[in-house]
Amino acid sequence: GTLVGGEIILDNPGLFSSFNPALASFGNGDFALTYQGQNGTTPFQNVVVVQRFNDGGGTVGVESVIADAGSNAFIEPAVTVLSNGTSVVTFTAAALDGSGNGVFQQRFAADGSTIGGFTQVNTITRGAQNDSSVAALTDGYVVVWTSNIGDDFSFSASSFGVYGQRFDLNGNAVGGEFLVNEFVDSNQTQADVVGLPAGGFAVPFSD
């Protein structure tokens, strides 16, 4: 619990405001930071910022800003570092999947440069998908999120459920989108996810 060094300001001073930070460790003392920021335009555009840092708080590689002219809301970022040294940031974006919010992802190389463009995580786009969490696995990663498509994929059950999707180390989907919660009455929200040593994962959520 002893402080090591002083407080370090990590966000981009050029942004109007910065909030909703998330961190992931590279294992060598470096860490990846992502956060939601407002870029000061009129109207405000919410963007997702990603930067790698060393253990002294110095930047490593380049800063990336994830944004799109088709959406003024890139929010709720989460990040994990994979076994091959790359990292994945997931986030919610408004008005890009044709039906409310959707969950998207952006992959990064070890130097912080982007690998391709951002891609959609959720297959089913009806309703709204929000509040994603991502965790590294031995052979890839898994993303979970809250969706109001109903617990039977048809809107006819409860309003909100927790869904997930696995990916390999190259960002390719493994299997299809799946429902996490077995109990379907009421709402299931605020999911988190952690990878387990044997290769599986665990998902806690609110019910």
Side-chain angles (χ1 to χ4, degrees), residues 119-162:
T119 58
Q120 191 163 339
V121 172
N122 56 289
T123 302
I124 300 173
T125 59
R126 291 178 300 172
Q129 292 75 40
N130 301 282
D131 198 17
S132 63
S133 181
V134 58
L137 305 175
T138 55
D139 57 354
Y141 57 100
V142 60
V143 185
V144 299
W145 63 91
T146 299
S147 177
N148 71 343
I149 63 174
D151 290 314
D152 63 355
F153 295 85
S154 68
F155 284 108
S156 62
S158 65
S159 296
F160 288 92
V162 175

Side-chain angles (χ1 to χ4, degrees), residues 37-102:
Q38 290 182 328
N39 61 8
T41 60
T42 303
F44 285 128
Q45 183 181 31
N46 289 284
V47 299
V48 170
V49 183
V50 186
Q51 176 69 63
R52 180 171 177 167
F53 295 86
N54 61 32
D55 60 359
T59 58
V60 177
V62 296
E63 178 186 79
S64 292
V65 177
I66 308 173
D68 186 272
S71 174
N72 67 352
F74 278 42
I75 59 176
E76 302 173 337
V79 60
T80 194
V81 174
L82 306 184
S83 59
N84 62 0
T86 63
S87 57
V88 180
V89 172
T90 62
F91 54 92
T92 301
L96 289 185
D97 74 353
S99 179
N101 293 342

Side-chain angles (χ1 to χ4, degrees), residues 156-172:
S156 62
S158 65
S159 296
F160 288 92
V162 175
Y163 290 80
Q165 176 68 59
R166 291 188 65 160
F167 295 88
D168 65 21
L169 289 171
N170 295 314
N172 301 307

